[in-house]
Amino acid sequence: MIRVGLGTDLHRLVEGRRLLLAGVEIPSGRGEDAHSDGDVLAHAVIDAVLGAAALGDIGEFFPDTEAAYKNADSMMLLSRCWKQVQKEGWHLGNLDCVIVLETPKVLPYREKIRASLARALDSEAVFVKAKTAEGIGPLGEGAAIGAEAVCLLEK
Ligand code: MG
């Protein structure tokens, strides 16, 4: 059996926060504003894997009203979700992701980001791409960062 899952996320970029992508810190004057650590890519991947397994979504698993998740390490949250997915007998077919960020360029960090997701999901069938929003809208103006992830699960 195969199942596909989709996850998307968007966070405001603000001064005084770290810019994290799958746990990799990207040097930048601004980072993701959030209750958790704000790791937009980790959040999109969590929703993709949970959705494919039909287990729920990130908001149900880790409510942003709970103090326990204040500044939470999102890659730890992904690992917890992935354990649940694996418990249901699923393994990763593949994961593909898109980061939408105007600046800085993600490419120099792409392999580190990819490897971090591969570690968390026990699979090398992981790829990460990045693009700008061509100056259009809040993403293009650099007010926000977005991520999309699609995964295939097999059992
Ligand atoms: Mg989020």
Side-chain angles (χ1 to χ4, degrees):
M1 182 161 49
I2 60 170
R3 288 286 184 271
V4 67
L6 171 69
T8 75
D9 198 24
L10 185 75
H11 281 264
R12 198 177 294 278
L13 288 172
V14 295
E15 285 177 13
R17 294 276 303 186
R18 298 192 300 159
L19 180 57
L20 291 169
L21 291 169
V24 176
E25 186 167 352
I26 312 297
S28 171
R30 294 175 314 144
E32 298 120 324
D33 191 23
H35 181 68
S36 69
D37 67 4
D39 191 326
V40 71
L41 180 57
H43 295 177
V45 172
I46 287 171
D47 266 349
V49 299
L50 288 179
L55 284 176
D57 66 43
I58 189 170
E60 288 177 87
F61 271 65
F62 311 111
D64 66 5
T65 48
E66 269 186 35
Y69 302 120
K70 178 99 178 118
N71 292 319
D73 175 348
S74 297
M75 288 304 283
M76 201 197 69
L77 304 183
L78 172 58
S79 291
R80 273 161 61 178
C81 289
W82 185 239
K83 279 203 184 81
Q84 288 284 114
V85 171
Q86 284 179 311
K87 249 188 225 159
E88 305 279 318
W90 295 106
H91 63 269
L92 191 70
N94 77 302
L95 171 80
D96 190 26
C97 308
V98 181
I99 299 157
V100 186
L101 178 64
E102 208 64 13
T103 182
K105 289 282 178 219
V106 172
L107 189 58
Y109 309 98
R110 184 177 75 184
E111 176 49 27
K112 254 182 132 171
I113 295 165
R114 193 208 64 77
S116 174
L117 288 172
R119 254 194 321 277
L121 299 174
D122 310 306
S123 168
E124 283 301 312
V126 171
F127 200 64
V128 174
K129 305 180 297 296
K131 63 192 298 177
T132 72
E134 303 273 346
I136 301 161
L139 287 162
E141 287 157 10
I145 179 171
E148 296 168 15
V150 60
C151 76
L152 193 76
L153 298 185
E154 301 174 331
K155 74 171 164 186

